């Protein structure tokens, strides 16, 4: 069942923020509303790429494993984000799996309709190009930092990356409300859980961050900016 304010929800997504009321009303007839419980799969790698998702509330994790069930890639989606961008206009299947790491509320629309909308609109196409460029820049930086650092530095670079990608400025601190664990940080940084715990404990002792399963708070943003430069 769709919420009554579907057009207002669409306006909260940057890709549609400059669309006219008429365009949004027309689009809303192709949009569906759905909720997922924590731990539910939205799609898996290799599934037909039939839907484009608009995350309204909660957090989603993207991940890909090899045949040995070893994690090759992981990323997170925050509210008011469209996903997945990977494969637009080209690939018939999803590149990775998507799992709800919290209870989530989202909208989705058929991929063919979204791609047709983008093709017909210069403003939508420019948004997609800019977003793809931003994603590429973020992941290029992430790869460079991870391949040229020792274990401790990789943990710090990972926290810096998560801060930039998922953090919200709240007064003097940056808050990550996505429930990220030491195992998640270990997987992203390619280090052991023991190393992650050691680094985080040192950062907590020096009041650089606070951390528990549900929230990470960065008290000293400059520390990560300097360490990641």
């Amino acid at each position: 069942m769709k919420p009554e304010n579907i057009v207002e929800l669409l306006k909260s997504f940057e890709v549609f923020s400059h669309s006219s009321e008429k365009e949004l009303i027309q689009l809303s007839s192709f949009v569906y509303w759905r909720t997922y419980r924590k731990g539910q799969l939205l799609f898996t790698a290799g599934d037909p790429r039939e839907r484009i998702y608009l995350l309204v509330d909660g957090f989603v994790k993207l991940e890909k494993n090899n045949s040995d069930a070893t994690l090759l890639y992981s990323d997170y989606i925050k509210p008011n984000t469209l996903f997945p961008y990977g494969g637009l206009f080209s690939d018939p299947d999803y590149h990775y799996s998507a799992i709800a790491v919290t209870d989530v509320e989202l909208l989705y629309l058929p991929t063919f309709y979204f791609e047709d909308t983008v093709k017909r609109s210069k403003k939508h196409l420019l948004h997609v190009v800019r977003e793809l460029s931003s994603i590429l820049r973020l992941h290029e930086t992430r790869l460079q930092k991870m391949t040229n650092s020792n274990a401790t530095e990789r943990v710090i670079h990972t926290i810096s990356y998560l801060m930039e990608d998922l953090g919200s400025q709240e007064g003097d601190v940056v808050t990550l409300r996505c429930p990220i664990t030491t195992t998640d940080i270990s997987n992203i940084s390619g280090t052991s859980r023991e190393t992650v715990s050691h680094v985080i404990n040192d950062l907590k002792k020096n009041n650089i961050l606070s951390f528990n399963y549900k929230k990470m708070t960065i008290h000293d943003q400059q520390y990560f900016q300097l360490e990641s430069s």
Side-chain angles (χ1 to χ4, degrees):
M1 181 178 176
K2 292 183 183 179
E4 295 180 358
N5 62 338
I6 190 76
V7 170
E8 292 303 315
L9 285 174
L10 288 172
K11 290 179 182 178
S12 67
F13 292 87
E14 187 179 353
V15 66
F16 299 124
S17 60
H18 300 295
S19 298
S20 68
E21 197 79 9
K22 181 179 179 181
E23 289 172 328
L24 291 175
I25 291 172
Q26 181 179 9
L27 176 66
S28 68
S29 63
F30 291 87
V31 173
Y32 300 85
W33 170 267
R34 186 159 182 192
T35 61
Y36 289 84
R37 302 291 292 176
K38 177 182 176 182
Q40 280 190 287
L41 279 168
L42 284 67
F43 55 82
T44 60
D47 284 349
R49 197 173 57 84
E50 297 174 341
R51 298 175 178 177
I52 296 296
Y53 295 86
L54 304 161
L55 187 58
V56 175
D57 189 43
F59 291 88
V60 170
K61 183 179 182 181
L62 305 178
E63 61 181 24
K64 185 172 184 178
N65 299 281
N66 61 17
S67 58
D68 297 323
T70 301
L71 187 66
L72 297 177
Y73 168 81
S74 66
D75 202 1
Y76 292 87
I77 304 298
K78 60 185 177 182
N80 295 325
T81 301
L82 180 148
F83 73 98
Y85 280 93
L88 278 175
F89 308 111
S90 59
D91 298 341
D93 304 321
Y94 292 116
H95 294 173
Y96 30 68
S97 302
I99 184 170
V101 294
T102 63
D103 292 346
V104 303
E105 298 178 4
L106 54 77
L107 307 171
Y108 71 84
L109 66 160
T111 298
F112 77 87
Y113 186 79
F114 177 75
E115 292 180 344
D116 285 346
T117 299
V118 171
K119 289 175 183 176
R120 294 195 306 267
S121 169
K122 180 180 178 181
K123 58 190 175 186
H124 290 142
L125 184 59
L126 285 174
H127 170 82
V128 169
V129 171
R130 285 195 297 266
E131 191 63 26
L132 285 169
S133 296
S134 177
I135 292 170
L136 179 60
R137 177 190 61 79
L138 190 65
H139 286 290
E140 283 179 340
T141 301
R142 175 180 169 183
L143 180 61
Q144 290 167 2
K145 298 295 185 184
M146 296 305 173
T147 55
N148 296 307
S149 308
N150 61 41
T152 297
E153 290 173 337
R154 291 202 301 273
V155 174
I156 292 172
H157 291 322
T158 296
I159 296 173
S160 177
Y161 156 74
L162 292 171
M163 179 179 71
E164 180 180 354
D165 194 37
L166 299 177
S168 299
Q169 190 74 44
E170 299 180 4
D172 295 332
V173 302
V174 173
T175 302
L176 284 73
R177 299 191 179 277
C178 182
I180 294 172
T181 66
T182 54
T183 299
D184 295 325
I185 296 174
S186 171
N187 288 332
I188 295 171
S189 62
T191 60
S192 67
R193 289 181 59 189
E194 290 76 13
T195 298
V196 173
S197 296
H198 175 73
V199 173
I200 287 178
N201 285 336
D202 282 348
L203 295 174
K204 289 166 68 175
K205 288 177 183 177
N206 290 289
N207 200 35
I208 293 169
L209 61 74
S210 303
F211 179 70
N212 59 44
Y213 175 68
K214 292 181 181 286
K215 184 174 71 171
M216 179 185 292
T217 303
I218 308 297
H219 303 288
D220 186 350
Q221 301 168 53
Q222 188 176 16
Y223 173 85
F224 292 100
Q225 291 164 356
L226 290 173
E227 292 295 322
S228 296
S229 60

